[in-house]
Amino acid sequence: MKEMICILCPVGCHLTIDIENNYKVTGNSCPKGEVYGKEELIAPKRVVTSIIRVEGGIHHMVPVKTDKPIPKELIFDCMNLLKDIKIKSPRKVGDVILENILGTDSNIVLTRDI
Amino acid sequence: MKYDVVVIGGGPAGLASAKSAYENGAKKVLILERDKELGGILQQCIHNGFGLHKFKEELTGPEYAQRYVEMVKGYPIEIKLETMVLNISQDRVISMINPIDGYQEVQAGAVILAMGCRERTRGAIAIPGERPSGIFTAGAAQRYINMEGYMVGKKAVILGSGDIGLIMARRLTLEGAKVEAVVELMPFSGGLNRNIVQCLDDFGIPLLLSHTVVDIKGRDRLKKVVVAKVDENRKPIPGTEIEYDCDTLLLSVGLIPENDLSKEAGVNLDSRTNGPIVTDSMETSIPGVFACGNVVHVHDLVDFVSEEGERAGKFAACYVSAENCKLENVSNIKNGDGIVYTVPQMINLDNLQNKLEIFMRVNNVYKNKKIVVREGDNIIASFKRVHLAPGEMEKILLPEVLLKRISKDITIELQEVI
């Protein structure tokens, strides 16, 4: 039995996961919690949000994110990829900056117009 | 110059209220924003988790802001950036200043206050010790890092475990700094559970509950922060001190609605929320002056700020066309056991809508309680809750049938589920 708090929405359901019983999830108030609870124990994933440099915008930095959650252990490798990138404005929200990062099938995309 | 509705503040509350005022018939709408772009504080909140209620998907702050900016720009709504509002008069003349128009006055049919809130600083909570550099509010550090591109330090302690403190613990860690601890005065965190998990637990950052900062050391730059355990009266316990070598202290110790303009205009404020006292139409004590978002009370989710903004915009437009928002037959909402405050604080019984949302905060962590609405001993409605916490704003919805049963003051309180 493993207890955890679901992080998918602000409700923060208190989940109980029965590892020996095929990762059966209880305590969730929606189907997303069931998927999360199982995945969190087998292969936890997170969306990474950060910033990259931009030239010619109204700020020095522009925010980015991974468009899909990536394995938790790759978070710092992902941050390393962003260190030396510099783009030129104007660019649009949703523009892909890096494709298929670290073989995760996730892309780095802009999260605002600049 | 004359406008139907003038909105002060171009953050999520202001954007939602301007859009809604226009959609509900206000022809000339103006947004006044102090910064060089719209979006407000959302632009520096680059993490995800916004919009789950409003858009049914998980957006980052800038993405959420951009959706509303685009909606507003889709209408002929006028926007003045880098504009500082200096004064609002009782008859709704707004004086302002910016680099293009210089000093200017405009007459508003209705005004919507949407100035948001401001962070409490070291001075506000009186932390003893020396006064070196390296002490930031969490939000200021967020703006430096995420928008301006400056890192604030290498080793940090964070005081306050509200959502901003937790988010910044993760943000500093991702950018290569070491966060020694998040220190919380109360015996529980003021932040959402999900943020404790994904901001602290993910990175092994300790959360010290019932602890506070008792000393700050360092002449020029911060060198040490001394933390101690507190007793049940929140007084530091001698002998429990822990010294952290660090160069940065982030303060995430609460937000206060930004009501300098409202006060000067003569708007009545609520000492519990520090925001204007409002009716169910988000109207303040000055007729024709409405308020929404964090200027009224500090929200934990922007989705509810947008909702409140939409309500304020709708009734501001209605005020301009009909002036039907008289305040003669009013029911006050009183706080009973367990409730810290409600918004709105008053219901206009002459102008009842088909439903009423009431936001509130509770004073402690509770399990299995019900939120009860009663007039005298007569229970009008009750809502079961499995989990209640001060950090999580509660919302109840009274439908028209129940609203019609109200004829005088009502009380909202927590009761045991039997």
Side-chain angles (χ1 to χ4, degrees):
Chain A
M1 286 291 181
K2 179 96 185 163
E3 291 196 358
M4 64 170 68
I5 293 163
C6 181
I7 63 168
L8 294 188
C9 87
V11 175
C13 288
H14 293 250
L15 308 177
T16 307
I17 298 119
D18 187 350
I19 300 172
E20 276 137 45
N21 199 356
N22 193 25
Y23 294 90
K24 193 177 161 28
V25 179
T26 47
N28 54 311
S29 49
C30 85
K32 281 194 238 163
E34 196 177 332
V35 178
Y36 168 78
K38 197 167 171 179
E39 195 174 80
E40 183 68 11
L41 284 185
I42 299 168
K45 286 183 174 170
R46 297 286 184 266
V47 167
V48 176
T49 62
S50 190
I51 45 173
I52 58 172
R53 289 184 185 282
V54 60
E55 239 170 38
I58 62 167
H59 301 293
H60 297 300
M61 313 305 290
V62 59
V64 295
K65 69 172 183 185
T66 59
D67 60 2
K68 288 188 201 80
I70 64 167
K72 211 164 113 176
E73 67 271 17
L74 294 179
I75 291 176
F76 284 97
D77 293 336
C78 171
M79 289 299 294
N80 266 330
L81 291 177
L82 303 177
K83 255 187 198 159
D84 304 315
I85 301 175
K86 192 174 206 173
I87 61 163
K88 283 203 165 83
S89 98
R91 297 295 292 265
K92 284 276 177 205
V93 62
D95 277 7
V96 175
I97 302 300
L98 290 176
E99 276 181 32
N100 187 21
I101 55 154
L102 307 163
T104 57
D105 193 32
S106 175
N107 306 310
I108 298 290
V109 297
L110 293 189
T111 56
R112 66 166 285 174
D113 290 355
I114 188 89
Chain B
M1 195 74 99
K2 272 189 140 177
Y3 289 90
D4 290 339
V5 174
V6 176
V7 178
I8 303 175
L15 291 171
S17 67
K19 164 184 173 280
S20 155
Y22 185 83
E23 285 171 342
N24 284 284
K27 301 256 162 20
K28 269 180 79 83
V29 178
L30 170 68
I31 301 175
L32 302 175
E33 167 57 46
R34 187 168 60 174
D35 208 341
K36 54 190 172 188
E37 63 180 337
L38 294 174
I41 299 302
L42 282 176
Q43 297 288 14
Q44 69 185 49
C45 301
I46 62 162
H47 52 279
N48 59 341
F50 299 90
L52 281 161
H53 291 268
K54 200 81 207 161
F55 298 110
K56 308 287 172 232
E57 57 182 305
E58 191 161 61
L59 303 172
T60 67
E63 286 174 320
Y64 189 99
Q66 192 153 347
R67 294 212 176 178
Y68 268 92
V69 170
E70 273 159 24
M71 287 187 239
V72 162
K73 287 192 170 160
Y75 295 133
I77 293 174
E78 221 180 297
I79 296 156
K80 284 183 190 291
L81 299 175
E82 292 183 88
T83 301
M84 188 80 188
V85 173
L86 303 172
N87 188 56
I88 308 161
S89 75
Q90 294 259 345
D91 46 2
R92 303 185 301 281
V93 174
I94 295 165
S95 56
M96 62 181 111
I97 194 159
N98 73 26
I100 296 164
D101 308 307
Y103 178 83
Q104 202 184 7
E105 286 181 0
V106 297
Q107 172 70 54
V111 176
I112 299 175
L113 307 172
M115 295 89 77
C117 57
R118 160 181 296 205
E119 291 180 286
R120 294 214 293 166
T121 59
R122 178 177 178 184
I125 55 166
I127 304 176
E130 291 176 294
R131 305 177 67 84
S133 65
I135 305 169
F136 304 85
T137 62
Q142 191 175 48
R143 179 154 181 134
Y144 284 143
I145 298 172
N146 294 347
M147 291 170 80
E148 321 281 350
Y150 303 118
M151 191 54 183
V152 295
K154 295 193 176 84
K155 248 181 169 189
V157 167
I158 298 177
L159 177 61
S161 66
D163 289 315
I164 316 170
L166 299 174
I167 297 277
M168 286 311 290
R170 173 176 64 184
R171 193 69 197 109
L172 287 176
T173 309
L174 287 178
E175 289 295 343
K178 171 106 171 61
V179 178
E180 297 283 353
V182 173
V183 178
E184 169 62 52
L185 178 68
M186 304 299 283
F188 48 80
S189 163
L192 298 170
N193 272 331
R194 63 188 310 239
N195 284 333
I196 295 174
V197 174
Q198 60 185 344
C199 297
L200 300 189
D201 299 355
D202 270 8
F203 301 100
I205 301 169
L207 171 61
L208 300 180
L209 297 173
S210 297
H211 278 73
T212 194
V213 172
V214 293
D215 200 6
I216 288 171
K217 294 178 181 176
R219 270 188 66 83
D220 301 317
R221 179 76 191 197
L222 182 68
K223 288 213 159 53
K224 274 183 177 125
V225 165
V226 184
V227 168
K229 198 170 165 45
V230 296
D231 63 18
E232 60 273 24
N233 301 316
R234 295 179 218 157
K235 289 265 175 272
I237 304 169
T240 62
E241 292 85 359
I242 314 166
E243 268 194 13
Y244 290 104
D245 288 320
C246 58
D247 58 13
T248 304
L249 173 66
L250 294 196
L251 302 175
S252 172
V253 292
L255 301 165
I256 303 167
E258 172 71 71
N259 278 292
D260 290 347
L261 280 173
S262 331
K263 257 186 240 166
E264 244 178 273
V267 168
N268 288 345
L269 301 184
D270 182 332
S271 61
R272 299 161 301 172
T273 55
N274 289 311
I277 294 172
V278 290
T279 66
D280 49 315
S281 25
M282 302 313 291
E283 194 174 19
T284 68
S285 59
I286 301 181
V289 177
F290 296 76
C292 56
N294 283 357
V295 82
V296 180
H297 60 133
V298 177
H299 297 61
D300 37 22
L301 298 182
V302 69
D303 309 59
F304 298 138
V305 167
S306 301
E307 245 170 59
E308 215 176 77
E310 271 151 31
R311 198 142 37 105
K314 178 181 158 195
F315 289 108
C318 135
Y319 177 87
V320 173
S321 63
E323 302 218 1
N324 62 351
C325 306
K326 274 183 290 198
L327 276 183
E328 280 153 18
N329 192 6
V330 158
S331 158
N332 292 301
I333 304 178
K334 295 178 175 168
N335 300 335
D337 288 346
I339 305 292
V340 179
Y341 72 77
T342 65
V343 166
Q345 292 91 340
M346 289 191 281
I347 307 171
N348 187 348
L349 297 176
D350 285 338
N351 190 28
L352 279 186
Q353 305 302 312
N354 53 9
K355 59 178 185 182
L356 170 64
E357 268 173 358
I358 304 175
F359 294 110
M360 69 197 72
R361 278 189 197 274
V362 297
N363 64 358
N364 210 332
V365 178
Y366 295 103
K367 276 196 184 338
N368 296 317
K369 290 267 182 181
K370 54 185 181 182
I371 301 169
V372 171
V373 182
R374 63 174 171 83
E375 185 181 303
D377 293 332
N378 181 21
I379 291 178
I380 294 165
S382 85
F383 305 83
K384 272 191 191 162
R385 291 287 188 275
V386 179
H387 178 81
L388 293 152
E392 291 167 24
M393 198 171 79
E394 288 298 324
K395 181 176 100 162
I396 59 171
L397 189 70
L398 291 179
E400 193 172 8
V401 278
L402 296 179
L403 275 177
K404 284 195 172 143
R405 292 192 198 160
I406 298 172
S407 58
K408 48 181 192 282
D409 290 356
I410 58 171
T411 301
I412 297 189
E413 67 188 16
L414 294 186
Q415 287 185 7
E416 295 293 335
V417 176
I418 305 154

